[in-house]
Amino acid sequence: MLTVCVGILPAKWLETRREMESSNGEDLEGNPPIADLSTRAPRVGPGTLALSCIATFLLQASAQASNLTKPTFYRDVLPILQQHCQHCHRPNEIAPMPLVTYDQTQPWAAAIRQAVRLRKMPPWFADPPTGRFSNDPSLTQQQIETLSAWADAHAPSGDPRDAPPPRHWTEGWNIPQPDLVLEMPQPVSLPAQGDVEYTYEIVPTGFAEDKWVQMSEIRPSSRQHVHHAVVYIRPPHSEWLRHAPVGMPFTASSLTEAQDQRGAHWTDTDLLLVYAPGSSPDDWPDGMAKFVPAGSDLILQMHYITNGRPARDRTSVGLVLAKQPPKQRVITLQLTNDHFVIPPQVDDYRVEVHGTLPNDATLLSFLPHMHLRGKRFEYNVIHPDGRVIENLLRVNYDFYWQLSYRLAEPRFLRAGTELQAVAWYDNSKNNPHNPDPSSTVRWGDQTYEEMMVGFFDIAVPAHLDKWHYFIRRTASGAR
């Protein structure tokens, strides 16, 4: 910025000019006389005038520096929102308000400041010492200070020319444009109130050849009614739910075959993916993918909840196919304990389960699942004597944000590695989400009951399916 000191000239220079004026009022060069500034202000020395000019310059420079250091939306805030928030905070996504434009964001400046200072947003519940995760959206301390300072400064917009390029989002998806979208053939009608039995719908893929799926995403049309969803892969030779209707919703109680009724509550078939509020779509590294055999069906298991308003849901599954056959197949496994009894009024009830890997595998990610009394969940590697060798993940569980946690560096585990999952439950009155602290709680489908499931994803050689993975080698190497 150019600083101009208007009306301030060195006094000695003025006196010299006066001495050079001729008697007719003109100077020696014939120019009109300079106005006598001494008639407008007291005479000051040349040092004082010079200091006044410098002071004016410094004040203006200070103001300019203050404006440069004060965060603005376009220069400082928008890049943070694009990187950490717009995954959810954009039109037609799960968050209650978009944070894409200045007009959308400015009214929420104070709320944003509070949420980031308390580290409530972006949601992330893993304890930092337990490792690094590639999908961790947490803000740095500097980013928190930037958002706070922006709100403290009354949320200035700044210059739109400072904005980064808009982030490209696929309309309706958090994965790139799917190669295939498989939708429920019929929507599910949901009541305004009451329990909803687990609902299933069989969706034929129509695949004439095997497919490798590198990315996938579940998109309920009525998100607010979906507690969680699981998509199973039923290969053409499977007898699981083979007598159930295809292309229309059904529940276990609506089935007539005893085998199918049991199958609606348990299966060992492979999973394509799991959805819960806040969970990320599946996005496997290059060289890894999930396998869907030709002629398979997708079976959607939907856990719906009611919220006082009737609705209809028609869930879709988007698939991005691998460009070439991968070297490794991704399999989803789970550590589950369904034989617990949580007493009334306890605030830290512990449930655990162990499992041993039958063959080598590369550990990729985790997704813990509990209900309203869930408090903490962790995954550990266990020594044969029962000691915890390594804590892989520890989360402070939030039923309303059931996140997945992807290892930043996949972990190779040898055959025979023992894994442990541990869950803690708060069935006391201090749990604000507890529907009834006086009740004894057991395993069940509804949210006022409980579950203890530790999903985790592994990568194995591409030729090895889930059933063959569980065939253990003997000491001689035979199966």
Side-chain angles (χ1 to χ4, degrees):
M1 177 184 292
L2 177 64
T3 300
V4 180
C5 300
V6 179
I8 302 179
L9 297 173
K12 189 71 175 178
W13 187 86
L14 292 174
E15 291 176 2
T16 302
R17 290 290 291 180
R18 286 194 198 96
E19 291 173 358
M20 294 172 64
E21 291 176 0
S22 61
S23 58
N24 64 0
E26 295 179 348
D27 64 18
L28 297 180
E29 299 173 355
N31 295 319
I34 296 176
D36 187 353
L37 297 183
S38 63
T39 62
R40 301 181 185 180
R43 289 289 297 271
V44 293
T48 303
L49 287 168
L51 288 175
S52 298
C53 186
I54 294 171
T56 301
F57 173 81
L58 291 176
L59 287 173
Q60 291 174 335
S62 175
Q64 182 181 21
S66 176
N67 288 333
L68 287 174
T69 58
K70 186 182 299 181
T72 67
F73 176 79
Y74 292 109
R75 185 185 64 223
D76 306 287
V77 173
L78 184 55
I80 299 174
L81 300 179
Q82 287 182 350
Q83 182 181 358
H84 295 272
C85 308
Q86 290 180 6
H87 176 83
C88 295
H89 287 273
R90 65 183 204 269
N92 303 316
E93 287 301 319
I94 194 170
M97 83 290 287
L99 300 176
V100 177
T101 69
Y102 175 75
D103 290 339
Q104 292 168 345
T105 309
Q106 184 273 334
W108 299 97
I112 292 171
R113 174 181 57 200
Q114 181 180 18
V116 301
R117 282 179 175 174
L118 296 175
R119 293 192 179 272
K120 290 184 175 181
M121 287 287 158
W124 187 253
F125 307 105
D127 281 355
T130 60
R132 295 187 305 110
F133 299 90
S134 62
N135 61 329
D136 182 356
S138 301
L139 302 179
T140 66
Q141 187 59 41
Q142 180 58 52
Q143 289 169 328
I144 292 172
E145 291 173 2
T146 295
L147 294 173
S148 299
W150 178 66
D152 292 342
H154 307 292
S157 62
D159 189 341
R161 293 173 297 182
D162 293 335
R167 185 167 178 181
H168 174 71
W169 300 98
T170 304
E171 183 65 29
W173 300 94
N174 285 311
I175 57 175
Q177 186 63 45
D179 297 313
L180 296 166
V181 177
L182 299 173
E183 185 180 47
M184 286 179 168
Q186 290 189 19
V188 179
S189 296
L190 302 169
Q193 297 177 336
D195 295 339
V196 180
E197 191 177 356
Y198 269 31
T199 304
Y200 296 80
E201 192 155 344
I202 299 174
V203 182
T205 64
F207 292 167
E209 57 184 15
D210 297 342
K211 302 290 185 183
W212 288 98
V213 178
Q214 188 164 3
M215 302 181 198
S216 58
E217 181 178 358
I218 298 176
R219 298 289 289 190
S221 65
S222 185
R223 283 196 206 93
Q224 63 270 32
H225 289 88
V226 178
H227 167 272
H228 77 267
V230 182
V231 179
Y232 294 95
I233 302 167
R234 184 177 71 175
H237 57 75
S238 172
E239 291 299 316
W240 180 50
L241 296 176
R242 187 50 67 183
H243 304 99
V246 175
M248 60 183 297
F250 64 89
T251 62
S253 63
S254 70
L255 299 174
T256 57
E257 296 283 341
Q259 179 182 354
D260 290 336
Q261 290 177 347
R262 290 191 298 271
H265 296 289
W266 183 89
T267 183
D268 61 358
T269 196
D270 204 3
L271 279 71
L272 179 63
L273 77 161
V274 180
Y275 166 89
S279 62
S280 303
D282 281 355
D283 182 359
W284 307 115
D286 290 340
M288 299 181 185
K290 289 208 168 184
F291 182 69
V292 182
S296 295
D297 298 319
L298 298 185
I299 299 186
L300 279 63
Q301 180 199 72
M302 308 296 299
H303 181 179
Y304 291 113
I305 56 176
T306 56
N307 63 6
R309 297 180 180 180
R312 287 159 61 91
D313 176 67
R314 195 170 189 175
T315 291
S316 299
V317 181
L319 308 177
V320 175
L321 303 179
K323 301 298 184 284
Q324 57 188 11
K327 294 181 179 179
Q328 291 182 289
R329 178 192 303 229
V330 178
I331 299 174
T332 300
L333 304 178
Q334 60 192 67
L335 292 164
T336 301
N337 185 335
D338 59 359
H339 289 80
F340 54 83
V341 179
I342 305 174
Q345 304 295 345
V346 297
D347 63 0
D348 204 32
Y349 188 78
R350 188 177 186 275
V351 177
E352 69 175 273
V353 62
H354 295 237
T356 303
L357 295 179
N359 287 288
D360 295 349
T362 300
L363 183 63
L364 302 176
S365 54
F366 310 93
L367 174 59
H369 179 69
M370 299 187 282
H371 288 174
L372 290 166
R373 295 172 176 85
K375 181 178 180 180
R376 294 192 311 280
F377 202 104
E378 67 180 41
Y379 297 78
N380 301 308
V381 176
I382 299 297
H383 191 274
D385 66 8
R387 291 180 292 111
V388 174
I389 297 176
E390 181 182 2
N391 178 243
L392 300 170
L393 172 69
R394 181 184 297 113
V395 300
N396 296 305
Y397 188 76
D398 188 323
F399 173 77
Y400 297 101
W401 288 101
Q402 298 180 47
L403 307 183
S404 53
Y405 300 85
R406 299 177 189 155
L407 292 170
E409 298 179 3
R411 172 74 183 280
F412 180 75
L413 299 176
R414 294 284 185 188
T417 299
E418 185 176 0
L419 297 178
Q420 176 198 50
V422 187
W424 287 265
Y425 299 86
D426 185 352
N427 193 22
S428 74
K429 64 181 180 181
N430 296 324
N431 177 358
H433 307 303
N434 193 347
D436 183 5
S438 66
S439 67
T440 299
V441 183
R442 294 176 172 83
W443 174 279
D445 292 344
Q446 302 302 325
T447 56
Y448 51 80
E449 299 167 312
E450 267 304 336
M451 286 190 173
M452 191 282 191
V453 184
F455 294 104
F456 62 101
D457 299 298
I458 60 172
V460 300
H463 70 273
L464 200 61
D465 63 25
K466 181 177 179 179
W467 296 271
H468 286 92
Y469 175 74
F470 278 97
I471 299 175
R472 299 176 186 268
R473 293 181 180 274
T474 63
S476 63
R479 291 180 179 270

